[in-house]
């Protein structure tokens, strides 16, 4: 459900973010990738892997879940709005596609990771007490599940850098 996130819940992401968006950035001239990097990103764009098995397995574990095919911040925003909550996220914890990592200090890289779409990963919230169940599920499915932050009482999304300082999405 989109309206079931609770303050204190962990926020999790499946797989890796930003690869498909970086392929689009390359195709529109906003980024320059070598052939190997573009090929791996283009595969994410043209052959996404929807996480249906994960979605089914999260029943009874997660409070809320959503497919983030149009970008993490947009769809996490739906969960937060419906649940009347906020979030605290650590940029350094985001599981980004390898080709995106060199761009993370730029607006382009942050956009790919936070707002880029077409990755078809899941964002979900689960009580902190269920971390071991999520980790076991990750191992059972052979799918990385990464804890990227937590649900808060506030109504905003706070991004933090590697030092814990608040980071504005538009900062370079």
């Amino acid at each position: 459900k989109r309206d079931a996130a609770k303050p204190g819940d962990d926020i999790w992401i499946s797989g890796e973010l930003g690869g498909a968006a970086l392929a689009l950035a390359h195709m529109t001239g906003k980024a320059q990738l070598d052939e190997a990097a573009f090929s791996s990103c283009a595969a994410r764009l043209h052959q996404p892997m929807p996480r249906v098995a994960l979605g089914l397995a999260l029943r009874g574990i997660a409070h809320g879940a959503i497919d983030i095919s149009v970008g993490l911040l947009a769809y996490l925003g739906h969960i937060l709005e419906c649940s009347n909550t906020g979030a605290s996220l650590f940029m350094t914890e985001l599981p980004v596609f390898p080709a995106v990592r060199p761009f993370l200090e730029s607006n382009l890289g942050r956009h790919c990771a936070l707002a880029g779409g077409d990755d078809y990963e899941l964002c979900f919230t689960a009580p902190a007490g269920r971390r071991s169940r999520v980790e076991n599920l990750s191992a059972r499915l052979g799918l990385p599940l990464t804890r990227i932050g937590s649900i808060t009482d506030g109504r905003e999304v706070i991004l933090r850098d590697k030092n814990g300082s608040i980071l504005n999405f538009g900062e370079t």
Side-chain angles (χ1 to χ4, degrees):
K1 293 183 175 182
R2 293 182 186 179
D3 64 352
K6 297 179 180 6
D9 279 1
D10 292 329
I11 301 170
W12 297 82
I13 296 292
S14 66
E16 298 171 319
L17 302 175
L22 189 56
L24 285 172
H26 176 84
M27 292 165 62
T28 59
K30 295 177 184 172
Q32 295 298 316
L33 301 174
D34 63 38
E35 188 175 324
F38 175 66
S39 179
S40 66
C41 289
R44 296 279 299 178
L45 177 64
H46 299 301
Q47 299 168 339
M49 299 288 294
R51 304 302 185 182
V52 176
L54 173 60
L56 294 171
L58 285 172
R59 290 182 291 188
I61 297 174
H63 278 156
I66 195 164
D67 182 301
I68 53 173
S69 58
V70 181
L72 172 62
L73 290 182
Y75 279 132
L76 176 59
H78 292 310
I79 289 175
L80 301 177
E81 183 179 346
C82 291
S83 299
N84 294 313
T85 58
S88 179
L89 304 175
F90 280 90
M91 278 295 297
T92 55
E93 299 302 316
L94 287 181
V96 296
F97 196 70
V100 176
R101 288 185 190 124
F103 294 93
L104 274 181
E105 296 299 319
S106 70
N107 284 337
L108 172 66
R110 289 180 186 161
H111 173 80
C112 288
L114 293 167
D118 295 313
D119 286 315
Y120 294 91
E121 298 297 346
L122 292 185
C123 175
F124 62 95
T125 69
R130 294 185 185 156
R131 284 181 191 162
S132 64
R133 289 181 69 187
V134 173
E135 291 162 354
N136 290 337
L137 180 59
S138 176
R140 184 167 53 90
L141 295 175
L143 175 65
L145 302 176
T146 306
R147 188 166 41 98
I148 62 165
S150 60
I151 299 293
T152 65
D153 285 321
R155 298 294 181 264
E156 70 233 351
V157 175
I158 298 172
L159 298 171
R160 297 192 182 276
D161 66 14
K162 62 186 173 190
N163 300 315
S165 299
I166 293 176
L167 180 67
N168 292 319
F169 181 58
E171 288 181 356
T172 58

